[in-house]
Amino acid sequence: MSIRVLIANDQAMVRAGFRMVLNAEADIEVAGEAGDGEQAVAGARRLRPDVVLMDIRMPRLDGIAAARRLLEPAGSTPRILMLTTFDLDEYVFESLQAGASGFLLKNAPAEQLVEAIRVVAAGDSLLAPGVTRRVIEEFVRHRPGGEPPPELDSLTAREREVLERLAHGRTNAEIAAELVVSLGTVKTHVARVLQKLNLRDRVQAVIFAYENGLVS
């Protein structure tokens, strides 16, 4: 089945560009468009897409407020992929709290956009490498002191390797290539890391790795 995407952006030409890129993919279908946050909420509730490609800065209702409406209560669908720029990084923290599944820079190439949509649609979370660095810098700045949590000792050496690569923003496919293992093996390791550390998703795994000094 196709991944159904709702494009929420206040610029018609940007929406048209996204639509052209996504419609060229056999496994992705553009379910609709929205020109502001209010339209995004209404459109998502009416069309029930798998993923909302949500710009942060939009009129009437910004992307973060729209995400909060769509994701309450916690765990609600759809998955939301936020579009951000370096100038808007302060909003990334609010988006994390709102429950967004991923963040992508507006200037990312088309293939990264397509891959990001597939990643979040599959239930994973994603941070663009540039955004990851900026987000982590802020978290590390306020990193609490003290001993690492005992749960960290439950990870195997290979699970630690996977966690470190997650912290660097690697996708499952990139981790599989670097460790010379199958994609299924990586998915199993990621699932075990999240379970052992009691983490919700990859975003929390990234934060955990930096907070506990696994990656600098």
Side-chain angles (χ1 to χ4, degrees):
M1 296 179 62
S2 295
I3 301 169
R4 302 178 71 251
V5 179
L6 174 68
I7 302 171
N9 192 291
D10 62 336
Q11 298 180 14
M13 291 188 67
V14 172
R15 295 198 305 272
F18 286 152
R19 176 181 284 273
M20 181 179 66
V21 169
L22 299 181
N23 278 340
E25 302 298 320
D27 61 335
I28 297 177
E29 170 192 351
V30 176
E33 298 181 13
D36 58 51
E38 293 282 1
Q39 291 179 9
V41 173
R45 288 174 175 168
R46 183 181 73 256
L47 299 170
R48 302 184 68 82
D50 301 300
V51 176
V52 176
L53 186 59
M54 184 89 76
D55 193 10
I56 288 182
R57 180 172 288 177
M58 291 189 292
R60 295 180 67 197
L61 188 70
D62 65 55
I64 296 172
R68 286 198 185 101
R69 289 192 188 180
L70 288 174
L71 297 176
E72 292 178 354
S76 300
T77 53
R79 309 280 290 179
I80 296 181
L81 179 60
M82 307 293 293
L83 291 174
T84 185
T85 67
F86 288 127
D87 293 332
L88 297 177
D89 273 345
E90 64 270 23
Y91 296 124
V92 173
F93 302 102
E94 295 183 53
S95 299
L96 279 170
Q97 294 176 335
S101 297
F103 305 90
L104 194 68
L105 298 179
K106 287 184 177 180
N107 62 354
E111 58 269 21
Q112 284 188 18
L113 170 65
V114 171
E115 177 62 20
I117 288 173
R118 290 175 178 145
V119 166
V120 300
D124 288 328
S125 298
L126 176 144
L127 283 174
V131 177
T132 300
R133 287 191 295 272
R134 297 288 290 267
V135 171
I136 293 307
E137 283 174 7
E138 183 64 23
F139 274 99
V140 170
R141 188 175 298 117
H142 303 289
R143 186 173 74 184
E147 295 295 322
E151 294 84 359
L152 190 57
D153 293 332
S154 68
L155 298 184
T156 66
R158 179 47 59 92
E159 287 166 354
R160 279 180 176 250
E161 289 180 319
V162 170
L163 177 57
E164 290 169 5
R165 282 162 174 78
L166 288 178
H168 284 295
R170 303 288 199 275
T171 65
N172 285 352
E174 289 170 338
I175 295 173
E178 290 180 10
L179 299 181
V180 195
V181 296
S182 71
L183 187 58
T185 298
V186 172
K187 290 180 178 179
T188 298
H189 285 316
V190 171
R192 286 176 179 168
V193 167
L194 298 181
Q195 180 183 30
K196 288 182 177 182
L197 300 180
N198 194 29
L199 302 173
R200 183 186 65 234
D201 54 32
R202 297 167 75 98
V203 174
Q204 287 194 337
V206 170
I207 295 168
F208 178 93
Y210 277 86
E211 283 183 334
N212 290 286
L214 295 182
V215 182
S216 61

